[in-house]
Amino acid sequence: MTSYAEELARDIRAGLSSGQKQIPSKYFYDERGSRLFEEICRLPEYYPTRTEMAILEEHAGAIMEPFTAGDLVEMGSGANWKICRLLDAAAQPHGAGIRYVPLDVSESALQAAAEELIRMYGGLEVLGIVADFTRNLDRIPDDADRLITLFGGTIGNFTDAEAAELLEGVSALMRRGDRFLIGMDTVKDTDLLEAAYNDARGITAAFNKNVLNVVNRELCATFDLDLFDHVAFYNETSDQIEMHLAARQAMAVEIAALDMVVEFENGETIHTEISRKFSRERAIRIFEDAGLAPQRWFTDENGWFSLVELVRR
């Protein structure tokens, strides 16, 4: 199995050698990046988390009602806010009868979240898996009924081809009785969308730039964060937010661990993230193409965000 270090090295070499330089957004989430994202989730401009949380608070009982025991799987786990809403609504108190199975590339974030949950829910069993869920779905146990979750509109961080591959992978591992709960951000007003990724306090900018800290630390690179600007905008043609880091001047960055020097022109960008927004019609097509069928659709009164319960067709 490829290690985190090997995967990072491969992704950075390929991404920074391409015509449009890029770094996969999964590398945002080291310990500092996870803390910054928790701050983002509390910002007034950032509607997705509070909207998804409100949906969970209203519908957690209905979501958990069929799930009396088994594995509660979280792909790309982070802060425990959302999982706690489901655990609080479980049939048995204190997490009894449930094994929480989080998958995350950050071992430190995974351990901290698991330890907190064990303190909060005395009957909960936790099986943390340090893994990239886009490549390691086969590591999810299959010895119990499963409620698999992918929160936060994470599916929007993937291209069409990547999203199709991921959803097909989840569909392939699901058995009769398993359910898949997925969060999806919706198409809405451009000003509202762009404000969510350009907050007044600059927390999203710090979060975006932190990916360069990861590369510096893990691959002995020489990125100067002060020489890059955070750029985020809504691409209406593709129905997606795009985040970039734009070079403020021409420069050369050494990545010693890769024996590599990366040249930047003034204004050249590193593409760090997309966040696609979905209409219901488009989402249904994507699900059906992957062999998944929507069972229930939970949304807020404004229609800003949706949680969709899926089963295998």
Side-chain angles (χ1 to χ4, degrees):
M1 185 178 65
T2 306
S3 70
Y4 172 81
E6 292 169 333
E7 203 163 287
L8 173 66
R10 180 188 62 198
D11 288 343
I12 296 304
R13 183 183 294 281
L16 295 184
S17 299
S18 60
Q20 167 60 73
K21 294 180 174 65
Q22 55 189 310
I23 297 176
S25 58
K26 64 186 176 183
Y27 296 117
F28 284 143
Y29 299 96
D30 66 347
E31 188 172 357
R32 179 171 184 268
S34 296
R35 288 199 309 270
L36 286 169
F37 186 69
E38 287 185 29
E39 287 190 55
I40 289 170
C41 292
R42 298 185 183 97
L43 293 169
E45 299 97 332
Y46 195 73
Y47 66 86
T49 299
R50 67 172 179 271
T51 307
E52 188 176 28
M53 287 289 288
I55 296 169
L56 278 171
E57 287 173 2
E58 182 175 355
H59 298 289
I63 292 167
M64 292 298 285
E65 190 273 332
F67 187 74
T68 55
D71 285 348
L72 179 56
V73 180
E74 185 174 15
M75 298 162 56
S77 62
N80 290 324
W81 306 334
K82 297 166 190 173
I83 282 296
C84 285
R85 294 298 180 274
L86 295 182
L87 290 172
D88 289 343
Q92 299 186 66
H94 313 299
I98 295 176
R99 180 171 64 177
Y100 174 54
V101 185
L103 285 79
D104 200 278
V105 296
S106 172
E107 183 174 4
S108 60
L110 195 66
Q111 183 171 344
E115 289 174 352
E116 181 183 44
L117 283 175
I118 290 170
R119 288 194 300 270
M120 295 172 65
Y121 301 94
L124 182 70
E125 182 183 350
V126 177
L127 174 63
I129 300 175
V130 181
D132 177 356
F133 66 80
T134 66
R135 294 189 172 104
N136 305 127
L137 288 175
D138 59 328
R139 298 185 63 188
I140 298 174
D142 62 356
D143 57 348
D145 289 339
R146 294 169 294 188
L147 172 56
I148 302 167
T149 64
L150 183 61
F151 290 123
T154 301
I155 192 65
N157 298 145
F158 301 105
T159 64
D160 284 338
E162 292 167 341
E165 182 179 3
L166 176 61
L167 293 174
E168 287 165 6
V170 174
S171 177
L173 68 85
M174 291 175 69
R175 302 171 311 188
R176 189 176 188 86
D178 290 342
R179 292 177 296 145
F180 182 27
L181 184 68
I182 185 170
M184 305 192 83
D185 203 358
T186 62
V187 175
K188 58 184 70 67
D189 180 75
T190 297
D191 289 342
L192 180 65
L193 288 166
E194 292 190 343
Y197 296 84
N198 291 283
D199 63 278
R201 290 177 54 197
I203 305 299
T204 309
F207 174 70
N208 194 10
K209 289 185 180 185
N210 185 63
V211 77
L212 301 181
N213 280 328
V214 173
V215 179
N216 284 346
R217 181 183 64 245
E218 301 293 336
L219 298 176
C220 302
T222 60
F223 282 102
D224 183 342
L225 275 62
D226 291 335
L227 296 182
F228 287 85
D229 289 327
H230 164 72
V231 177
F233 60 90
Y234 184 57
N235 183 331
E236 294 187 21
T237 302
S238 303
D239 285 332
Q240 65 188 29
I241 287 283
E242 296 185 13
M243 290 213 315
H244 295 253
L245 292 168
R248 302 184 69 180
Q249 63 184 48
M251 70 185 88
V253 176
E254 182 181 1
I255 307 178
L258 302 182
D259 192 24
M260 178 181 184
V261 175
V262 183
E263 302 280 349
F264 288 88
E265 298 178 3
N266 183 24
E268 187 176 3
T269 72
I270 305 171
H271 190 187
T272 55
E273 185 177 51
I274 61 171
S275 183
R276 297 160 68 215
K277 313 304 173 184
F278 298 89
S279 66
R280 184 174 294 210
E281 294 74 21
R282 183 183 178 195
I284 289 172
R285 287 197 304 271
I286 292 169
F287 296 147
E288 290 180 345
D289 288 346
L292 295 165
Q295 293 291 100
R296 292 185 290 180
W297 205 288
F298 306 101
T299 192
D300 60 286
E301 62 182 12
N302 295 315
W304 284 0
F305 199 92
S306 294
L307 280 171
V308 188
E309 180 187 80
L310 304 163
V311 296
R312 188 172 179 179
R313 295 177 67 191

